[in-house]
Amino acid sequence: ERGPQEHPDRGGSGHVRIHLAADQVDDGACGRRDADHEVARGRGDPQRHAHGEVHERDLDDPAADAKVTYRELHARVCKLANAMRKLGVKKGDRVTIYMPRVPEIVIAMLACAKIGAIHSVVFGGFAAKELANRIDDCNPKLLVVSSCGIEPGKHIFYVPIVEEAMKFCTKIKGTIPCLLHQRLELDG
């Protein structure tokens, strides 16, 4: 068994590290070492397996740090995947995820993989016109959006940016359902 390792986050500025545990979640979409498999193998709780947890870090707020077991990760992914299905997302559909670097972005990506939906991640720092271009390119069935991003000395509210971006979209006809991740740090 491998111990905890660090994997670099290649997005954004600087060099940020996210810690994952023994059987890495990042090969889960293709291999058999995902949260579903870890829970099925009886490794969902850290009490049963020393490395059966994911070290979760909110990169928007480095002071916020938590550990999530594979069982908890599995439950959160399933809950979001079920919500997406209720909104009509199915295998092959596209989903745009507009969030800062928070743990929920990984949960959203894994929920898309669970359904078989294609996800397009747009970093939460993009302005309305750039977001509109990416929404047009993706033509998503669903938007998954965080309420806000936290930067040194300020908060950026994402919902108004998404609303403005939709006005700039040229290829989208009608409305797109939106799942909102309400950040507890701030109402956005």
Side-chain angles (χ1 to χ4, degrees), residues 67-78:
K67 289 187 178 181
V68 177
T69 66
Y70 280 111
R71 185 175 314 283
E72 292 165 339
L73 177 65
H74 177 259
R76 290 167 72 180
V77 168
C78 288

Side-chain angles (χ1 to χ4, degrees), residues 35 82 105 108 116 160 163 166 178:
N82 287 335
I105 197 167
E163 290 170 347
M166 295 308 295
C178 182

Side-chain angles (χ1 to χ4, degrees), residues 133-150:
N133 290 336
R134 282 148 183 87
I135 292 171
D136 270 343
D137 288 343
C138 182
N139 192 18
K141 179 110 180 207
L142 176 71
L143 294 172
V144 180
V145 180
S146 189
S147 60
C148 64
I150 302 169

Side-chain angles (χ1 to χ4, degrees), residues 113-179:
K114 187 168 208 52
I115 295 170
I118 301 159
H119 65 270
S120 170
V121 177
V122 181
F123 176 62
F126 279 76
K129 286 185 180 181
E130 289 78 17
L131 176 59
N133 290 336
R134 282 148 183 87
I135 292 171
D136 270 343
D137 288 343
C138 182
N139 192 18
K141 179 110 180 207
L142 176 71
L143 294 172
V144 180
V145 180
S146 189
S147 60
C148 64
I150 302 169
E151 292 189 7
K154 64 180 177 176
H155 295 91
I156 300 172
F157 297 98
Y158 291 166
V159 174
I161 295 171
V162 171
E163 290 170 347
E164 186 179 349
M166 295 308 295
K167 294 175 188 174
F168 291 116
C169 289
T170 58
K171 298 178 185 173
I172 304 297
K173 305 296 181 217
T175 60
I176 301 172
C178 182
L179 275 176

